[in-house]
Amino acid sequence: MDVSEIRQTVDRFRILIIGRANAGKTTILQRICKTRENPEIYNSAGQKRGVHNIENEMMFRNNPGFVFHDSCGFEAGGQSEFDEMKAFIASRSKEGRLNDRIHVIWYCIPMDEDGRCFTEGEVKFFSQCDTGSIAVIVLFTKFDALYDDEFAELTNKGVSRQDAKTLAPQHVKDAFANGPQVQLLYSRKGNQRPPRCHICLPDMDKDDADCGVLIERTAEILDDETLKQLFVSTQRTNLEVCMRYALKMTLARHLDFSQIISSHIPGKSGRQIINDLGLWFPYTSRHRQEEDEMWSTLRFSACPIAHSPSA
């Protein structure tokens, strides 16, 4: 699909979020959509619902471009819940319309519970569930719960409380990278479909919580250009990501950097570049006058005549 046709046929990015109760799933979705409000839930007929069901759609008014599905009750490890989730993934991975497919799976594993080991449901998911071409990212949520233990260990070794507070997060991150949870997650033995990557999310409950790493990694692991463009342009929390991908992918498609850029700008092709760049920012309204001014500025700056002494 050409990038200029994406928004005409695919207008919503669909995410399946899986995890135990109290794993911080709703908080993460609120951060992604920049809201404190609870999501609204609808069934397939567009009727509002008050209870969760994996088939129901969860959306936030602040960003209806994201559609979330929640696999509730799966953490119990029951066979019926597991079978329901497997059937849902199989069905939504083969949907004829890209708009109705599940585009990515976020699997949340909280780090604030005793033992912090994988549950039966998590082991079953990674050993038995075939997610097909759907990218899976594991989110180790409530990661800051590990800081207290490391803080206590550092202070017991004679480190000052202030230094221990500063050092604890990085110490935990370094140790966790080589720890048993990560090793088990990517072990090929009995692991049918390892995740594309994992990320650690601390302090998501704070007002200034930053979900930038989740946005960055999700964009990176999407190997379909259509889905990458859809995700990046749907999220509204990280403008830098939009700008980076807009320039990287759009200009790479249109421009031959071995030649002078000005030779490619004038005419219809130049306007197409402007239009394609704008597709990465669909929620930013631009009046025709602003577009024409940008177009005129770009043509002026790219035209060699405009910079000549006689101009």
Side-chain angles (χ1 to χ4, degrees), residues 64-106:
F66 278 125
V67 178
F68 304 102
H69 295 266
D70 186 2
S71 182
C72 298
F74 177 58
E75 70 276 359
Q79 191 61 42
S80 61
E81 291 85 358
F82 181 72
D83 291 342
E84 178 184 36
M85 180 271 303
K86 282 183 64 177
F88 177 77
I89 292 177
S91 172
R92 289 302 185 114
S93 66
K94 300 174 183 176
E95 279 283 353
R97 296 179 67 244
L98 183 60
N99 212 37
D100 295 327
R101 296 179 195 170
I102 292 297
H103 302 135
V104 72
I105 296 174
W106 289 342

Side-chain angles (χ1 to χ4, degrees), residues 91-197:
S91 172
R92 289 302 185 114
S93 66
K94 300 174 183 176
E95 279 283 353
R97 296 179 67 244
L98 183 60
N99 212 37
D100 295 327
R101 296 179 195 170
I102 292 297
H103 302 135
V104 72
I105 296 174
W106 289 342
Y107 200 118
C108 299
I109 302 177
M111 291 288 102
D112 65 336
E113 299 182 6
D114 292 339
R116 294 151 183 157
C117 298
F118 290 169
T119 64
E120 179 186 350
E122 290 154 2
V123 173
K124 287 174 64 175
F125 178 86
F126 291 106
S127 63
Q128 301 178 29
C129 186
D130 184 359
T131 55
S133 61
I134 303 176
V136 180
I137 303 178
V138 169
L139 316 183
F140 288 106
T141 62
K142 303 186 178 181
F143 196 72
D144 50 294
L146 301 179
Y147 296 170
D148 288 343
D149 290 345
E150 183 63 24
F151 174 85
E153 186 173 338
L154 288 170
T155 54
N156 288 337
K157 293 179 179 179
V159 179
S160 69
R161 294 179 63 85
Q162 181 176 353
D163 288 344
K165 184 178 181 179
T166 302
L167 294 172
Q170 189 59 49
H171 280 210
V172 169
K173 185 177 180 180
D174 293 342
F176 190 79
N178 299 310
Q181 294 97 334
V182 172
Q183 291 181 9
L184 179 61
L185 195 62
Y186 295 102
S187 172
R188 288 288 178 176
K189 184 178 180 180
N191 196 345
Q192 179 174 345
R193 192 73 65 163
R196 298 278 182 92
C197 69

Side-chain angles (χ1 to χ4, degrees), residues 296-307:
S296 298
T297 301
L298 183 58
R299 291 196 66 179
F300 178 84
S301 62
C303 180
I305 298 178
H307 300 285

Side-chain angles (χ1 to χ4, degrees), residues 45-63:
Q47 299 170 326
K48 201 167 184 178
R49 288 290 181 263
V51 294
H52 293 281
N53 178 293
I54 194 170
E55 291 285 351
N56 288 343
E57 300 179 343
M58 300 166 52
M59 289 177 284
F60 294 89
R61 290 186 180 183
N62 205 45
N63 191 344

